[in-house]
Amino acid sequence: MRLLYSALSPFARKVRVLALEKGLSDRIALEPATPYQDDAVRSLNPLNKVPTLVTDEGEAVYDSAVICDYLDGLSEPRLIPPAQPERHRALTLEAAADGMGDAALLVVRERMRPEGEHRQDLFDRQLKAIAAALDLFDGAGLSADRFGVGEIAVAAQLGYLDARKVVDWRDGRPALASWFEIVSKRASMVASDPSAG
Ligand SMILES: N[C@@H](CCC(=O)N[C@@H](CS)C(=O)NCC(=O)O)C(=O)O
């Protein structure tokens, strides 16, 4: 399999961490892509986004949640619970983390525009979503003993908030901060850390 990714993409990091946790990373060739600079991914994915996976059969799979679902079916341990209610809870946690990542990406892209052109309404709306998602994660009772797709998605997005200095999210969220400190030491998180180069 081939995974088109960028080192800073938190969605690609989620997929990489999941693959490492499942012992699948040896089967996946990582191919760097620069979707904000060129159109190289578009022939595989009309949205020209990373991550995009190409299976051994040559099929393109996206977006990151679908890639995680595909990879999860390939080996044990299953990181997406097969049965309800655990399944919808894990996928909803993943969706909240991914949505927070979408909001963070919009904030980062907006900050790249000339200062005089910043849209305050965009910052207000997206920063509100980020703060509410962080509060949800802080109160979710995340355990460092469980690292399924939802927890992986949260960890990948927290790493992005740090890497891009989006918000000081640790203030007032001690449970989330200490959980992240522990899970950041997992081999899968260390190997995919964008600040490690
Ligand atoms: N919902 C998508 C989001 C992926 C995404 O936004 N990727 C960004 C990089 S972090 C990208 O490739 N953006 C290129 C673009 O928007 O043109 C997923 O979960 O895979």
Side-chain angles (χ1 to χ4, degrees):
M1 291 176 277
R2 298 155 51 207
L3 182 70
L4 285 85
Y5 83 110
S6 74
L8 262 175
S9 166
F11 306 98
R13 190 179 187 194
K14 175 182 64 171
V15 168
R16 291 167 63 202
V17 169
L18 181 125
L20 283 157
E21 293 284 337
K22 291 180 63 71
L24 288 171
S25 56
D26 290 352
R27 291 173 54 185
I28 302 173
L30 293 176
E31 293 185 13
T34 48
Y36 288 110
Q37 273 88 57
D38 60 58
D39 258 10
V41 183
R42 203 174 304 279
S43 61
L44 295 164
N45 174 348
L47 308 176
N48 196 49
K49 289 188 182 188
V50 292
T52 294
L53 181 85
V54 182
T55 68
D56 288 340
E57 290 73 35
E59 266 184 273
V61 179
Y62 48 85
D63 60 9
S64 63
V66 183
I67 300 173
C68 286
D69 181 53
Y70 176 80
L71 293 177
D72 202 41
L74 297 182
S75 73
E76 298 296 327
R78 297 299 272 250
L79 299 181
I80 302 176
Q84 303 289 14
E86 291 81 6
R87 182 175 178 82
H88 78 254
R89 287 180 190 149
L91 294 177
T92 301
L93 184 62
E94 179 188 18
D98 287 358
M100 183 179 80
D102 289 333
L105 207 60
L106 287 173
V107 168
V108 168
R109 303 294 300 175
E110 187 70 10
R111 283 182 184 160
M112 288 174 179
R113 285 154 53 96
E115 205 152 319
E117 292 175 23
H118 286 175
R119 289 167 294 183
Q120 192 56 44
D121 61 324
L122 182 147
F123 285 135
D124 292 346
R125 190 176 165 79
Q126 303 307 330
L127 289 171
K128 203 192 276 188
I130 292 169
L134 287 165
D135 289 342
L136 175 85
F137 304 148
D138 188 52
L142 298 178
S143 156
D145 296 334
R146 189 184 56 233
F147 205 52
V149 75
E151 291 81 10
I152 291 171
V154 173
Q157 296 298 344
L158 293 177
Y160 182 77
L161 296 185
D162 283 347
R164 291 294 205 180
K165 298 183 171 42
V166 181
V167 285
D168 282 335
W169 59 269
R170 289 173 180 77
D171 284 352
R173 300 186 185 95
L176 188 60
S178 64
W179 174 82
F180 184 62
E181 199 180 326
I182 298 168
V183 300
S184 293
K185 296 190 176 106
R186 295 180 78 96
S188 60
M189 288 292 290
V190 172
S192 60
D193 184 351
S195 62

